Amino acid sequence: MDDRVIIFDTTLRDGEQSPGASMTPAEKLRFAHALDELGVDVMEAGFPITSPDDFRAVKEIARSVRRPIIAALARTRQKDIERAAEAVEGAAHPRIHTFIATSKVHLERKLKISEEECLEQAAEAVERARRYTDDVEFSAEDATRTDLSFLCTVAEVAVNAGATTINIPDTVGYTHPREVAEIFQTLRREVPALEGVVLSAHCHNDLGLATANSLAAVEAGARQVECTVNGIGERAGNAALEEVVMTIKVRKDLFDVTTGIHTHKIHPTSRLLTQITGIHPQPNKAIVGKNAFAHEAGIHQDGMLKERSTYEIMDPAMVGVPGSRLVLGKHSGRHALKARFQELGFEMDEDAMERAYRLFKLLADQKKDILDEDLLSILHHGAMKDIPVTFGLERMTGQFGGEWSHAQVTVTRKDEGEVEAAGKGDGPIAAAFAAVNEVVGWDVELEDFAIRAATPGRDAVGEVTLRARVAGKTFTGRGGSTDVVDAAVRAYLDALNKAAHAQQLEEDAVQRAAELKGI
Ligand code: KIV
Ligand code: ZN
């Protein structure tokens, strides 16, 4: 039976220390529930002494998230520990996580204390924390730059004082995987007191080594990994939960350990974090980046269509991504184009395919990503250029603010005249889109949404670009206005007009085919 690696998520604490990633207590609670569903074993809910908001957030999470261990961070100071204890006292499984720096530079320059004082403070803090809970974690901040024999002494002192987990942070992301392995092996060999105690790795990503270092620690005996969703965190971030977990899963031939993460929840959890913080993972970010399962090169697309494992090491569904995207662009070949047409419901004979491919290549020279609407346009010889206006915006009013925003729109529907509808949503744009959906009556999924100022100054024109998915096809929309809600609705209607036109073209094609067959 494989050992279990405890996944300790610190998105709500170290992750929240990312520039611009701060969350309100309500957002933290929402994300904590998502982490629970993801299956994390421990979640570090915050650092309660730092602010009343952080204290409240930890307390609320402790009260309402009952399955995982809820940890609260504290320096070795008495007040920190008492505040952390108070915050997690209502938890089903409370943990106090106390830390003190142990490296020479931190002791001499930051804390201005001796090694003996450091040991005393560590022991005292752990003993104090144990008065409140049996689950106490001790971290030696900057452990990986600490003299190794002193680190062994610190670990021994903390365990003797009652620590049940010893965490070894690579606080400044400086260490190489070989050194990490050496540190963990030495601790296990030289500190018999660590028998039965969980050794933990906490790696930062300043040299891009956080995942490699966490895995090196696991290979050397660590049984807890501290990480964050999307790898957010101080400076270059922390080890990314999704990378650590998926490496262990995909390369199970190399690891004799498992995790309790429900991997199909990785993608939705990542998306939720992005939604809450507004921080998008870089497009090429492993596992959760928007291109992580996109294949553009022609040879890759051809291989993927013949046998997925030629270029795909994990099924995107394993991490909750609906399907890998073949992004059509100038490197795409005939096979990929034909496959996408088939997905869109068009079977083409060789001549038609050849014509479509020539047009596709011409377009791909001018445009980076070719969307479904472009393909439909190719199919119908550039017919998308002047799309008829099926839905036109006449008026929009709204009451914005409070928990819900409300919007009323008047839209002219081709052949039907003016139609009025109301909608509500989490913000004015969501409310206006909900009202438009009422008029249109379709299921519309917003895939991408961006606002930018198209002109300088206070009265700048806001330009909205978006991608909307309707009936399995993606359409772009663009709209501009000095009022961003107005710009957003215009962009939305632009995409929906393209969708309406595409539907009309398809119906015409089916009709023509039927006529030809004499049905
Ligand atoms: O990076 C670090 O050293 C930390 C500790 C507080 C665990 O985040
Ligand atoms: Zn950290």
Side-chain angles (χ1 to χ4, degrees):
M1 173 87 170
D2 288 340
D3 265 2
R4 169 88 169 251
V5 171
I6 296 165
I7 296 296
F8 176 118
D9 180 276
T10 182
T11 310
L12 294 170
R13 200 277 300 169
D14 223 345
E16 213 223 1
Q17 290 172 218
S18 272
S22 64
M23 306 182 211
T24 64
E27 288 167 339
K28 284 189 167 186
L29 183 62
R30 189 165 160 220
F31 194 68
H33 281 290
L35 289 174
D36 183 11
E37 283 176 30
L38 179 64
V40 304
D41 302 287
V42 186
M43 72 177 77
E44 186 160 58
F47 194 171
I49 193 81
T50 56
S51 74
D53 259 6
D54 226 36
F55 174 79
R56 249 187 314 127
V58 178
K59 207 169 173 55
E60 189 52 35
I61 291 169
R63 201 187 55 74
S64 70
V65 183
R66 308 302 289 170
R67 182 197 53 81
I69 294 170
I70 308 298
L73 188 66
R75 288 166 298 186
T76 48
R77 299 178 187 176
Q78 179 173 346
K79 278 222 153 51
D80 279 42
I81 306 234
E82 287 168 355
R83 198 73 173 143
E86 204 187 330
V88 293
E89 75 187 348
H93 310 287
R95 172 179 295 188
I96 296 175
H97 175 193
T98 184
F99 73 98
I100 188 166
T102 52
S103 65
K104 197 158 181 276
V105 62
H106 277 244
L107 291 182
E108 286 179 3
R109 299 302 181 94
K110 185 182 81 175
L111 299 176
K112 301 188 193 315
I113 58 171
S114 65
E115 288 187 342
E116 288 65 35
E117 284 168 299
C118 169
L119 293 174
E120 269 168 37
Q121 289 185 24
E124 205 179 293
V126 172
E127 275 163 18
R128 187 178 307 283
R130 278 298 298 252
R131 290 182 210 150
Y132 301 99
T133 169
D134 289 343
D135 187 344
V136 173
E137 172 168 336
F138 172 78
S139 283
E141 190 189 9
D142 207 16
T144 52
R145 292 195 302 167
T146 298
D147 171 74
L148 196 44
S149 99
F150 181 58
L151 186 64
C152 289
T153 309
V154 175
E156 183 168 17
V157 164
V159 172
N160 290 339
T164 45
T165 299
I166 296 291
N167 185 37
I168 305 298
D170 185 25
T171 303
V172 290
Y174 172 76
T175 312
H176 182 279
R178 268 205 308 273
E179 295 169 305
V180 170
E182 157 98 35
I183 293 168
F184 279 81
Q185 280 157 4
T186 306
L187 281 163
R188 289 177 66 212
R189 193 178 58 240
E190 302 295 326
V191 188
L194 281 171
E195 188 65 42
V197 167
V198 176
L199 264 181
S200 166
H202 175 114
C203 301
H204 280 268
N205 205 29
D206 298 67
L207 291 174
L209 293 172
T211 299
N213 281 336
S214 305
L215 295 167
V218 169
E219 285 176 327
R223 286 298 174 265
Q224 175 174 286
V225 171
E226 301 197 355
C227 45
T228 60
V229 173
N230 295 350
I232 68 167
E234 278 278 344
R235 308 182 309 279
N238 290 59
L241 178 147
E242 61 277 7
E243 293 174 13
V244 172
V245 167
M246 290 314 292
T247 306
I248 289 173
K249 187 167 173 128
V250 171
R251 297 308 311 270
K252 53 180 180 292
D253 54 324
L254 297 180
F255 292 92
D256 49 4
V257 293
T258 56
T259 74
I261 296 297
H262 308 303
T263 59
H264 65 282
K265 293 278 183 188
I266 285 179
H267 197 252
T269 314
S270 158
R271 293 273 295 257
L272 176 63
L273 183 65
T274 299
Q275 218 181 64
I276 291 175
T277 60
I279 301 175
H280 289 256
Q282 74 210 46
N284 59 327
K285 163 84 182 62
I287 324 282
V288 295
K290 100 178 190 323
N291 294 344
F293 296 99
H295 305 269
E296 203 202 316
I299 297 173
H300 290 209
Q301 294 189 341
D302 185 39
M304 281 284 294
L305 291 165
K306 287 178 176 142
E307 166 56 48
R308 297 178 80 98
S309 66
T310 50
Y311 289 102
E312 205 162 74
I313 59 162
M314 62 193 130
D315 182 346
M318 259 165 97
V319 293
V321 174
S324 55
R325 260 181 340 125
L326 294 184
V327 177
L328 296 178
K330 68 175 174 194
H331 304 297
S332 303
R334 285 177 180 73
H335 282 110
L337 184 64
K338 188 167 183 187
R340 188 63 196 139
F341 273 131
Q342 277 167 343
E343 279 165 21
L344 292 173
F346 294 95
E347 280 299 341
M348 322 255 281
D349 63 28
E350 258 177 46
D351 284 353
M353 188 58 220
E354 212 35 58
R355 266 199 315 276
Y357 186 66
R358 272 204 308 275
L359 287 168
F360 166 77
K361 279 294 193 192
L362 284 175
L363 188 61
D365 275 341
Q366 299 155 12
K367 194 169 183 287
K368 193 177 172 307
D369 289 348
I370 307 287
L371 302 179
D372 296 340
E373 72 203 52
D374 299 312
L375 296 184
L376 292 164
S377 159
I378 284 172
L379 208 57
H380 302 284
H381 307 284
M384 278 293 182
K385 272 213 174 85
D386 296 303
I387 13 153
V389 179
T390 308
F391 310 107
L393 180 65
E394 288 302 321
R395 280 181 298 284
M396 179 173 52
T397 55
Q399 299 86 46
F400 306 136
E403 204 183 335
W404 290 102
S405 292
H406 296 260
Q408 292 83 38
V409 295
T410 306
V411 170
T412 315
R413 252 192 104 123
K414 204 171 98 192
D415 306 332
E416 279 181 44
E418 287 190 1
V419 183
E420 283 182 20
K424 71 171 184 174
D426 188 3
I429 294 176
F433 285 5
V436 170
N437 288 348
E438 280 296 306
V439 175
V440 176
W442 292 336
D443 242 358
V444 184
E445 190 194 333
L446 203 56
E447 285 188 336
D448 204 9
F449 182 93
I451 303 181
R452 66 176 197 98
T455 52
R458 286 166 65 87
D459 56 352
V461 170
E463 191 182 79
V464 171
T465 47
L466 53 78
R467 289 182 188 207
R469 199 161 175 79
V470 182
K473 304 179 192 72
T474 302
F475 302 91
T476 50
R478 213 178 283 278
S481 167
T482 47
D483 172 345
V484 287
V485 183
D486 188 60
V489 172
R490 288 182 190 283
Y492 200 57
L493 288 172
D494 185 35
L496 299 187
N497 279 322
K498 290 177 182 171
H501 186 49
Q503 275 177 12
Q504 188 58 56
L505 290 175
E506 280 169 40
E507 279 167 26
D508 293 349
V510 171
Q511 173 80 30
R512 264 201 310 278
E515 281 166 9
L516 281 176
K517 283 186 187 153
I519 301 172

